[in-house]
Amino acid sequence: MNWLERMKSGLKTRIKREIPQGIWQQCTHCGHSTYTMALERNYWICPECTGHYPISSRQYASLLLDEDSFAEMDATVTSSDPLRFRDTKRYSERLRAARRLSGLNEAILTGIGTMGGHPVALGVMDTRFIMGSLGSATGEKIVRLIDRARVDRRCLLLVCQSGGARMMESAFSLMQMAKISAKLRQLAEDRLLYITVLTDPTYGGVTASFGMLGDIILAEPRARVGFAGQNVIKQFLGTDELPEDFQIAESVLQHGFVDRIVSRDQLAVEIVRLIALLAPDGNPQEPPAAP
Ligand SMILES: [Zn+2]
């Protein structure tokens, strides 16, 4: 029986079973495909090339904090579109889409928890929310997190991943850089430890403010860290060629802007070690008295 006859007789062709979406993941660095569950067990690091897959803010929170210790803060804080901005789309529409995609109301997840038993205030940016851009509500959530760290005397840990300031909010976005930086100054005056983790990508207003203000600045391997993006710099310099490792964390480390590159599977261990060494009970260790 040929296939035309089969259609006539009402026989259904057996539907070829497809691989369910998300069972395999393909590495954007080397193209290697890996079983999703194996990747999860490996902290979303490619077993072939050690490239770090992007992960969500909640995944970072669960891999960094002690189990069940996270209490989210200010989950309902969100931008109000103060300029009623519109480019190819209304900003309010972009906000709605970002909320649906990320499950967050803003481009950062904030809350308190413990790491190795040490109390911390944690903020993790999320690129699924308008490229993790720094909007007025993002800034407000960070400032409230800093206030909480000061009240409870907690170490502050911010995981950065962002395209920079949120252009749809113009100056409302840019002023967050100063607002957060001023708050971090108060945190420093309270002698509380502040650690930043720069992940791929960390750009613009985030690099130019709180990203680079950490007492300790860590970065994930091969994370892109810079101010202006590569295309802007190429246009500005009138060249198509930039060094291969331009704005890559390892190169940024060599130039002194980052303290250490830490692989994601070692991140929690490394941060707990730093807290235990520098601020074991939320308070910094006093330097030993001079002989
Ligand atoms: Zn790979």
Side-chain angles (χ1 to χ4, degrees):
M1 190 187 293
N2 66 40
W3 66 273
L4 276 172
E5 285 170 329
R6 284 176 60 191
M7 281 177 73
K8 279 182 198 162
S9 62
L11 286 174
K12 287 184 183 166
T13 304
R14 222 173 130 214
I15 296 168
K16 193 180 168 191
R17 188 179 280 271
E18 285 184 270
I19 298 170
Q21 208 175 13
I23 288 283
W24 294 92
Q25 305 288 335
Q26 191 170 32
C27 176
T28 53
H29 302 274
C30 71
H32 182 76
S33 290
T34 310
Y35 190 42
T36 303
M37 282 174 70
L39 260 184
E40 276 177 346
R41 281 195 298 271
N42 202 34
Y43 299 84
W44 290 87
I45 298 172
C46 174
E48 190 71 16
C49 73
T50 71
H52 284 43
Y53 281 69
I55 58 172
S56 72
S57 48
R58 290 200 191 276
Q59 283 174 304
Y60 269 111
S62 76
L63 83 85
L64 290 174
L65 295 173
D66 298 339
E67 204 172 347
D68 296 328
S69 73
F70 184 61
E72 189 174 352
M73 289 168 50
D74 303 310
T76 56
V77 172
T78 190
S79 283
S80 60
D81 189 10
L83 302 175
R84 296 183 178 278
F85 187 86
R86 177 178 195 154
D87 45 42
T88 52
K89 264 190 206 169
R90 286 183 193 279
Y91 175 39
S92 54
E93 281 175 35
R94 290 188 192 277
L95 284 171
R96 270 197 294 278
R99 286 179 197 128
R100 268 199 306 275
L101 180 66
S102 66
L104 296 168
N105 280 317
E106 248 312 315
I108 190 164
L109 173 74
T110 57
I112 54 171
T114 58
M115 287 188 72
H118 304 290
V120 296
L122 173 71
V124 188
M125 305 192 83
D126 200 312
T127 50
R128 294 171 305 164
F129 198 104
I130 315 183
M131 266 314 287
S133 52
L134 175 64
S136 50
T138 326
E140 180 60 25
K141 285 185 79 170
I142 294 173
V143 161
R144 290 185 189 189
L145 184 69
I146 298 171
D147 281 338
R148 181 62 185 264
R150 293 179 67 209
V151 169
D152 294 355
R153 294 204 65 78
R154 293 170 180 271
C155 297
L156 175 67
L157 175 63
L158 289 181
V159 179
C160 304
Q161 50 179 187
S162 175
R166 192 173 300 166
M167 63 177 188
M168 302 85 162
E169 294 191 18
S170 189
F172 289 101
S173 165
L174 294 177
M175 69 168 278
Q176 304 309 314
M177 296 164 64
K179 179 171 144 182
I180 296 166
S181 301
K183 270 289 166 192
L184 286 173
R185 174 61 187 255
Q186 292 178 343
L187 188 86
E189 284 170 356
D190 286 352
R191 296 174 57 74
L192 290 167
L193 180 64
Y194 169 38
I195 298 172
T196 49
V197 181
L198 312 182
T199 70
D200 185 65
T202 299
Y203 273 110
V206 171
T207 307
S209 61
F210 59 91
M212 287 290 172
L213 288 175
D215 299 311
I216 308 282
I217 302 172
L218 307 175
E220 284 191 344
R222 304 288 300 165
R224 287 165 296 166
V225 176
F227 181 61
Q230 297 200 2
N231 286 340
V232 174
I233 290 175
K234 281 178 188 171
Q235 282 172 24
F236 179 74
L237 296 176
T239 175
D240 277 338
E241 286 190 24
L242 291 171
E244 201 177 307
D245 61 353
F246 187 73
Q247 293 184 333
I248 298 298
E250 285 75 359
S251 156
V252 178
L253 173 76
Q254 281 182 0
H255 288 84
F257 289 96
V258 164
D259 294 309
R260 187 170 289 179
I261 308 286
V262 184
S263 180
R264 191 182 289 152
D265 54 336
Q266 294 300 311
L267 207 48
V269 174
E270 183 72 16
I271 292 168
V272 169
R273 191 182 296 145
L274 286 168
I275 295 173
L277 188 67
L278 298 169
D281 54 359
N283 297 305
Q285 292 279 64
E286 291 298 327

